[in-house]
Amino acid sequence: METLDDLFRRLDQLNDIGASLSSERNISLLLEKIVIAAKQITRADGGTLYLLSDDRRHLHFEIVRTNSLCLAFGGASGMPTSGKFPDLPLYRDDGTANNGMVAAYAAITGNTVNIADAYQADGFDFSGTRQFDAGTGYRSQSFLTVPMKDHEGEIIGVLQLINALNPTTGGVTEFSPADQRLAESLASQAAIALSNRQLVQQLEALFESFIKLINLAIDEKSPYTGGHCQRVPELTMMLAEAAAATREGPLADFRLTDKDRYELRIAALLHDCGKVTTPVHVVDKATKLQTIYDRIHLIDTRFEVVRRDAEVRQWKNVAGGMAPGDAERDYRAFCEKLLADRDILRRANIGSEKMSDEDIAHVRRIATDYRWRNADGADVPFLSADELENLSIRAGTLTRAERDIINHHIVATIRMLEQLPWPRHLRNVPEYAGGHHERMDGKGYPKGLKREDMSWQARIMGIADIFEALTAKDRPYKDGKQLSDALAILNRFSQNGHIDPDLHAVFVEGEVFRRYAERFLEGRQIDC
């Protein structure tokens, strides 16, 4: 008979178990802890934990443990239960309750079932148990089957314990009333711990879904930035893991917990959320003259107007006494120059190559060489001031004002993220997400932070953002760079104070770039 001291000892175990369960974040390990704790507290040889399916019509084996058979499935065992143990149906094909199976009965009725000997029990079908015993030489005798109810009284699973062991003789005995009460108490605590963990995961999933919703909105505005929002988090985490694995140098003490990883991933997913405020015609500006449409076609039309004016002038000259041959020669020479100048503006509009001083001088000459009459009949310069400014952009397709608009997205990102009531484990998200355009030398934006002012995580995101942009193959204004070219640029950035040199060393020496390239770059880009 159990002494009072033994009972108090088991109650202390129950309290310790409750505290342990509440701290476990991994659901699979939490389920395993529940079974192991239940087996310990009731001195059971075996234990099984079932969870109710989403449609509430089946019980799924999650954890299976039997000490004497060295049987372990689910949890940290590395042996999945799926395929090994079929789900238990709660209802038969005709819709009636499957009360013949003890675990199903407990789930349907919410009642605990305590059976001293399965081979002599009435009302339940233990044919599957007998078949298992016949195949293993085991003798399943006593069963304690306890429904698991959450804080709302809903059944979420079933805890089943098999073969209570006598602490003195080690022989199989029935589960005592004290065993049953302890198991029911543990099942209640476990169910609440499990439902709390599931609720946290559901809230995290909902939160991440909102983040993905923001990225989808950006994606719908511009498929170019949408791909960026998906790839930067992947590269960020690759570099972060490589940095955390470093055991020497300045990064020797850098470590990441699971919470740290989650915080950094959330920040990476949100690092460009401010782009929802950026006008789409600026984000997607593929050519220098593009607004909602590419205005180079307006320029082409003007060239045609100027050509026709020249043709009219030719015949007027002939009518005024000029030799037709001379008029024709002047006209053709003019058209030749006109077509050459049109090609110059077309090339300048693309913005794929850096323009020299000579190139810009050509554009300005064209702006003054020709005049045309607009729809109002007014004689106006061939290029407007805005068109001349855009066609004179030295590199890329954005004017200074448009680049300021693009750069403002990081200010918007910081403002948006600082408005949110971040929980303690995510409080650094605004700093990480808002620092990826800062530079180590203090010349970045928007705050002009220096290296010592920034966390490792923010510096990691800076490298990930740059490398993704260099190699991205879905930008409207450029092709993705070859891997060797991107690495060369990144090396210059490391030397001139743009990015962190220690993280750059990890990026290169740890071949983070290669793992990223294999997943996200085209074969033609991987040249080293």
Side-chain angles (χ1 to χ4, degrees):
M1 183 174 178
E2 185 173 35
T3 66
L4 199 57
D5 286 343
D6 289 337
L7 181 59
F8 281 139
R9 191 178 302 110
R10 291 211 284 171
L11 287 172
D12 286 340
Q13 276 185 291
L14 182 64
N15 290 332
D16 293 341
I17 289 164
S20 174
L21 295 181
S22 65
S23 64
E24 181 57 63
R25 291 177 57 83
N26 184 295
I27 284 186
S28 181
L29 296 181
L30 173 60
L31 297 176
E32 184 179 44
K33 279 188 175 182
I34 292 169
V35 172
I36 292 172
K39 287 167 70 277
Q40 288 176 346
I41 206 169
T42 60
R43 307 187 186 99
D45 181 49
T48 300
L49 193 147
Y50 310 85
L51 286 186
L52 197 60
S53 62
D54 291 339
D55 62 5
R56 305 188 67 81
R57 298 189 64 83
H58 295 85
L59 286 175
H60 178 69
F61 285 82
E62 292 289 342
I63 306 291
V64 178
R65 293 286 186 277
T66 304
N67 290 353
S68 61
L69 293 176
C70 297
L71 195 67
F73 289 90
S77 70
M79 300 290 290
T81 58
S82 299
K84 184 70 176 178
F85 302 96
D87 290 353
L88 301 182
L90 298 188
Y91 301 94
R92 300 185 179 92
D93 292 340
D94 61 3
T96 59
N98 187 18
N99 287 329
M101 304 187 77
V102 64
Y105 174 84
I108 293 169
T109 65
N111 296 326
T112 297
V113 180
N114 191 341
I115 296 174
D117 191 337
Y119 281 72
Q120 298 178 13
D122 295 326
F124 295 107
D125 178 10
F126 282 101
S127 59
T129 299
R130 290 189 177 92
Q131 184 178 0
F132 174 82
D133 289 353
T136 61
Y138 193 67
R139 174 63 163 83
S140 303
Q141 184 174 319
S142 54
F143 278 74
L144 181 59
T145 308
V146 184
M148 298 173 63
K149 300 177 183 179
D150 66 12
H151 59 286
E152 295 179 341
E154 293 286 334
I155 302 293
I156 63 171
V158 171
L159 175 63
Q160 188 171 74
L161 300 165
I162 303 172
N163 285 359
L165 301 178
N166 186 297
T168 303
T169 67
V172 176
T173 184
E174 63 185 272
F175 289 96
S176 68
D179 290 333
Q180 180 172 329
R181 287 192 295 272
L182 287 169
E184 288 173 338
S185 178
L186 174 60
S188 177
Q189 291 184 55
I192 291 173
L194 176 58
S195 59
N196 285 344
R197 188 66 245 157
Q198 288 174 327
L199 180 60
V200 168
Q201 284 196 346
Q202 290 165 2
L203 290 174
E204 288 176 347
L206 179 62
F207 176 58
E208 290 189 41
S209 295
F210 274 116
I211 294 173
K212 291 175 182 177
L213 187 67
I214 293 172
N215 285 343
L216 178 62
I218 297 172
D219 197 5
E220 290 296 315
K221 283 182 65 176
S222 168
Y224 315 116
T225 55
H228 175 79
C229 291
Q230 304 307 316
R231 291 187 292 268
V232 167
E234 297 299 323
L235 183 52
T236 295
M237 298 314 297
M238 287 181 188
L239 180 52
E241 293 295 349
T246 301
R247 293 294 177 267
E248 57 185 27
L251 283 155
D253 296 328
F254 179 70
R255 296 290 181 272
L256 290 174
T257 65
D258 287 343
K259 288 183 178 180
D260 294 333
R261 289 181 176 87
Y262 182 71
E263 182 178 43
L264 179 57
R265 181 164 184 82
I266 293 299
L269 284 167
L270 285 168
H271 82 285
D272 269 350
C273 65
K275 283 184 177 175
V276 296
T277 67
T278 307
V280 67
H281 71 273
V282 177
V283 175
D284 287 0
K285 192 180 181 191
T287 64
K288 295 178 182 178
L289 288 176
Q290 183 173 329
T291 51
I292 297 176
Y293 61 94
D294 192 347
R295 293 175 292 166
I296 193 66
H297 304 302
L298 296 180
I299 306 296
D300 286 344
T301 301
R302 284 178 214 161
F303 274 115
E304 177 59 21
V305 170
V306 171
R307 186 199 65 77
R308 281 185 288 179
D309 286 348
E311 186 176 13
V312 170
R313 191 164 54 250
Q314 171 194 358
W315 295 114
K316 282 185 176 180
N317 288 338
V318 171
M322 186 180 224
D326 293 341
E328 174 73 14
R329 185 175 56 257
D330 290 349
Y331 169 69
R332 291 198 176 280
F334 181 83
C335 289
E336 219 175 281
K337 177 174 176 293
L338 196 70
L339 290 175
D341 288 342
R342 185 188 67 179
D343 289 341
I344 288 173
L345 294 192
R346 284 181 174 179
R347 286 195 301 272
N349 184 47
I350 296 172
S352 59
E353 297 180 2
K354 188 172 182 179
M355 291 183 69
S356 64
D357 290 341
E358 184 181 359
D359 294 329
I360 293 175
H362 278 312
V363 172
R364 290 175 176 167
R365 174 188 58 76
I366 293 169
T368 57
D369 276 2
Y370 305 103
R371 298 185 69 85
W372 73 296
R373 292 188 179 278
N374 63 19
D376 298 325
D379 184 70
V380 294
F382 188 74
L383 296 177
S384 68
D386 179 73
E387 291 164 344
L388 180 58
E389 178 189 9
N390 277 271
L391 288 169
S392 300
I393 297 170
R394 285 192 177 274
T397 62
L398 299 177
T399 64
R400 182 179 297 276
E402 288 166 340
R403 194 164 294 281
D404 288 343
I405 291 172
I406 289 287
N407 291 348
H408 179 74
H409 82 272
I410 193 62
V411 177
T413 293
I414 294 171
R415 287 177 180 172
M416 290 167 65
L417 296 181
E418 288 181 344
Q419 295 301 308
L420 298 177
W422 296 100
R424 186 170 61 254
H425 68 289
L426 294 175
R427 65 179 180 272
N428 293 313
V429 166
E431 190 254 319
Y432 297 166
H436 67 277
H437 284 303
E438 302 290 352
R439 291 176 46 135
M440 303 305 100
D441 57 9
K443 297 178 182 178
Y445 63 92
K447 297 180 179 180
L449 300 177
K450 291 188 175 181
R451 183 185 188 190
E452 58 270 21
D453 302 322
M454 301 170 63
S455 64
W456 285 113
Q457 286 88 335
R459 288 180 249 173
I460 286 171
M461 284 188 56
I463 292 177
D465 187 73
I466 291 170
F467 191 77
E468 191 286 330
L470 289 173
T471 57
K473 56 185 181 291
D474 54 7
R475 300 299 171 93
Y477 48 84
K478 71 174 185 66
D479 292 328
K481 290 190 176 296
Q482 301 289 101
L483 191 54
S484 59
D485 292 337
L487 289 173
I489 293 171
L490 214 61
N491 185 57
R492 290 199 298 273
F493 283 1
S494 172
Q495 295 173 356
N496 67 14
H498 196 134
I499 62 175
D500 187 277
D502 297 320
L503 284 170
H504 173 255
V506 172
F507 186 81
V508 175
E509 294 169 11
E511 295 205 327
V512 176
F513 69 89
R514 193 171 303 283
R515 294 198 297 277
Y516 177 80
E518 289 170 352
R519 286 186 58 188
F520 296 104
L521 301 193
E522 292 182 350
R524 62 175 180 79
Q525 292 179 267
I526 305 175
D527 62 345
C528 65

